[in-house]
């Protein structure tokens, strides 16, 4: 597609439920990133994919968080047993390669609210 | 780890006025990105700076990276309502990820 696409745009769920967030990167972009944006914490890195592998998972806050990428394209971020502190906007970004000479292009995010 | 501090945190200016937003790093910057965000939307890429002393412009927005590569500024000339939003600076940390400043909220009064 023309830009990074994320779905759903909004998600409201009850504490303890599992959620899946989807990211469809720009076609041909091999590098994919997940970030979280919350009040008081700003924008934080979660995980980076190069192709289907994740060389850097250092930002995942707990083992309730996991992510996968298949076919070098779509990625899914899964949060198990959601907690209220998981409420945030989850942003996905992609860029053509892992090169730092290219900017990361962001989607519009998924706004997650845990009741 | 690298930290970015933006100033001011919020800014209200009259339409037509010039303004400057600053981004200061605790370490040398090897890639500095400016993004703009509107509520409910993602980040829109504005400019990328990599070399000390580099300056880039797009329409009425100019970004500079100082010679020591530890501070960047974003300058808007003759501000318009369309410039309103949150401006974020981001820096490459390690091989891939970006670390961001806390953002500057810009309001343009007509």
């Amino acid at each position: 597609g023309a830009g990074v696409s994320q779905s759903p745009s909004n998600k409201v769920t009850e504490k303890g439920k599992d959620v899946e967030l989807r990211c469809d990167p720009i076609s041909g972009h091999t590098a994919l990133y997940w970030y979280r944006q919350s009040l008081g914490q700003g924008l934080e890195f979660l995980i980076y994919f190069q192709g289907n592998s994740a060389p850097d998972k250092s930002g995942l806050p707990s083992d309730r968080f996991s992510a996968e990428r298949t076919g070098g394209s779509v990625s899914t971020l899964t949060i198990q047993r959601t907690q209220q502190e998981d409420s945030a906007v989850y942003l996905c970004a992609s860029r053509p390669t892992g090169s730092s000479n290219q900017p990361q292009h962001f989607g519009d995010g998924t706004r997650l609210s845990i009741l | 780890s690298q930290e970015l501090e933006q100033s001011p945190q919020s800014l209200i200016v009259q339409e037509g006025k010039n303004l400057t937003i600053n981004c200061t790093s605790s370490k040398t910057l090897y890639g500095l990105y400016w993004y703009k965000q509107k509520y409910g939307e993602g980040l829109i890429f504005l400019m990328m700076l990599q070399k000390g002393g580099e300056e880039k412009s797009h329409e009425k927005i100019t970004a500079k990276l100082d010679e020591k590569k530890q501070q960047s500024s974003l300058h808007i000339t003759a501000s318009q309502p369309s410039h309103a939003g949150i401006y974020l600076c981001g820096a490459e940390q390690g091989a891939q990820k970006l670390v961001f400043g806390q953002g500057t909220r810009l309001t343009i009064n007509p």
Side-chain angles (χ1 to χ4, degrees):
Chain A
V4 178
S5 178
Q6 292 188 245
S7 61
S9 55
N10 285 283
K11 178 72 176 179
V12 180
T13 191
E14 293 180 348
K15 177 182 172 182
K17 300 287 188 183
D18 297 352
V19 294
E20 282 190 356
L21 312 180
R22 177 188 166 106
C23 173
D24 200 342
I26 294 172
S27 178
H29 282 194
T30 61
L32 185 147
Y33 309 79
W34 283 98
Y35 293 86
R36 179 170 72 172
Q37 187 175 33
S38 54
L39 287 175
Q41 295 297 321
L43 225 167
E44 304 171 294
F45 167 81
L46 296 177
I47 187 170
Y48 152 62
F49 285 92
Q50 180 60 44
N52 291 336
S53 63
D56 190 347
K57 307 179 183 179
S58 62
L60 294 178
S62 75
D63 58 8
R64 295 186 296 106
F65 287 71
S66 63
E68 65 175 12
R69 189 179 185 195
T70 56
S73 181
V74 172
S75 176
T76 302
L77 178 68
T78 301
I79 309 174
Q80 295 179 310
R81 306 181 301 281
T82 51
Q83 304 293 315
Q84 287 189 331
E85 61 263 28
D86 299 334
S87 296
V89 176
Y90 290 82
L91 291 162
C92 176
S94 70
R95 65 179 169 186
T97 68
S99 170
S100 60
N101 291 325
Q102 299 280 346
Q104 295 182 20
H105 296 273
F106 284 78
D108 285 345
T110 293
R111 184 173 298 275
L112 178 63
S113 299
I114 309 299
L115 303 179
Chain B
S1 62
Q2 186 169 28
E3 294 184 355
L4 297 180
E5 184 173 334
Q6 286 186 237
S7 62
Q9 292 185 347
S10 65
L11 189 57
I12 302 173
V13 300
Q14 205 74 24
E15 183 177 353
K17 297 295 186 182
N18 303 337
L19 62 105
T20 300
I21 298 168
N22 293 302
C23 175
T24 302
S25 173
S26 58
K27 297 182 179 181
T28 300
L29 293 161
Y30 290 103
L32 189 284
Y33 299 80
W34 282 100
Y35 287 89
K36 179 186 173 185
Q37 185 178 32
K38 291 194 170 183
Y39 181 80
E41 299 179 13
L43 277 65
I44 300 168
F45 170 71
L46 297 175
M47 272 171 279
M48 176 177 70
L49 303 166
Q50 292 186 303
K51 300 175 183 177
E54 188 174 11
E55 178 176 321
K56 289 187 177 178
S57 294
H58 178 67
E59 297 182 343
K60 295 185 178 180
I61 301 176
T62 300
K64 300 179 185 180
L65 182 61
D66 74 342
E67 289 288 343
K68 294 183 179 180
K69 295 173 66 176
Q70 283 199 269
Q71 186 170 41
S72 179
S73 61
L74 187 81
H75 184 76
I76 299 177
T77 304
S79 58
Q80 301 170 346
S82 61
H83 289 131
I86 298 172
Y87 288 81
L88 291 149
C89 62
E92 296 275 357
Q93 183 172 66
Q96 289 299 329
K97 58 193 173 188
L98 293 178
V99 59
F100 287 90
Q102 290 295 88
T104 295
R105 183 179 297 274
L106 175 62
T107 302
I108 308 294
N109 283 338

